[in-house]
Amino acid sequence: MALDKQRIVTEAVALLDAEGLDGVTTRKLAARLGVQSPTLYWHIPNKAALVTAIAEAILEQQFPEPAPPAPQEPWPDWLIGLAERLRRALLAHPDGARIIAASQLSLKMAAISELAMSTLVGRGIPLRQARLIVLTVLRFTVGYVLEEQAGRPDADALDGFDMAAYATAYPTVMAGVTEYFQAGHSVDDLFRDCLEQIIHGPAARSGASPTKPGP
């Protein structure tokens, strides 16, 4: 089979799924493709370009053709849905968030940002505010998944950790965590609720009467 960029990227994503980002090296990728490492540079000039190509492939799975909201769909609901799709795209691969964070000049991320910002501007949000909202939502999403994919502390990290003393020192933190998850909420709910706070402000779901953004 002829070697081309698409085949290289497909195999790079498979290598990512097998070994994570740290395992994606040109040596290992070349071995999987049955070629010498220098051969890859005819198609992808360096590791940074490879990471960006992997990012594009990851995003393509959830955003083949990003679409604006329907005319009657409130933009906050649409933007939350877009962020949830981005999170699914990143979670679908080990170190997906690291890939996106490390990618340079991702055209797919640029397209997502352009669509989101132009949608908000088209709904009457000033350009500066639209940019800040979209930037905050996208960066929060990547950061949230970075923490998710980092995993829980291993046994060595917890060895000697005094949870009782921690709970005594930080009672409000512990009460907040316990109250939220005892109510049956999941990390998916937490992600969406955090987005609600970002988009609607501190009054979201607090029982107050927020002044929500227009449709």
Side-chain angles (χ1 to χ4, degrees):
M1 183 183 297
L3 185 65
D4 57 22
K5 182 176 180 180
Q6 182 58 54
R7 184 182 169 208
I8 292 171
V9 173
T10 298
E11 198 61 44
V13 173
L15 181 58
L16 173 72
D17 289 342
E19 301 192 30
L21 179 56
D22 293 337
V24 179
T25 66
T26 54
R27 178 182 61 79
K28 290 182 178 180
L29 181 56
R32 291 175 70 102
L33 290 163
V35 299
Q36 297 297 313
S37 294
T39 305
L40 300 178
Y41 298 128
W42 285 99
H43 305 277
I44 297 180
N46 50 51
K47 178 68 176 288
L50 177 62
V51 169
T52 298
I54 295 172
E56 302 289 65
I58 288 173
L59 293 171
E60 179 68 20
Q61 295 172 354
Q62 283 290 331
F63 298 95
E65 294 182 7
Q72 300 305 315
E73 182 180 9
W75 70 258
D77 294 343
W78 173 82
L79 186 58
I80 288 172
L82 182 144
E84 289 177 325
R85 288 170 62 194
L86 176 58
R87 176 171 172 255
R88 287 196 296 271
L90 305 187
L91 286 174
H93 302 273
D95 293 326
R98 285 181 64 198
I99 287 284
I100 299 303
S103 65
Q104 300 174 2
L105 302 177
S106 165
L107 298 181
K108 183 62 74 171
M109 278 300 293
I112 293 169
S113 297
E114 173 68 23
L115 175 62
M117 286 179 59
S118 64
T119 294
L120 268 60
V121 170
R123 296 295 182 90
I125 307 299
L127 176 61
R128 183 177 185 275
Q129 185 181 0
R131 178 178 181 272
L132 293 176
I133 292 170
V134 172
L135 186 65
T136 302
V137 166
L138 295 182
R139 291 193 175 180
F140 166 75
T141 301
V142 174
Y144 191 94
V145 180
L146 276 171
E147 183 172 324
E148 286 186 286
Q149 293 186 318
R152 295 180 177 275
D154 58 27
D156 290 339
L158 293 174
D159 186 33
F161 185 79
D162 191 337
M163 180 57 73
Y166 181 91
T168 300
Y170 310 107
T172 309
V173 170
M174 292 300 296
V177 172
T178 301
E179 182 274 334
Y180 188 84
F181 288 106
Q182 278 188 345
H185 294 118
S186 67
V187 292
D188 297 331
D189 297 320
L190 181 61
F191 177 72
R192 187 178 183 89
D193 286 343
C194 287
L195 287 173
E196 292 272 0
Q197 297 296 318
I198 291 170
I199 293 172
H200 293 307
R205 297 192 179 188
S206 67
S209 299
T211 302
K212 291 188 177 182

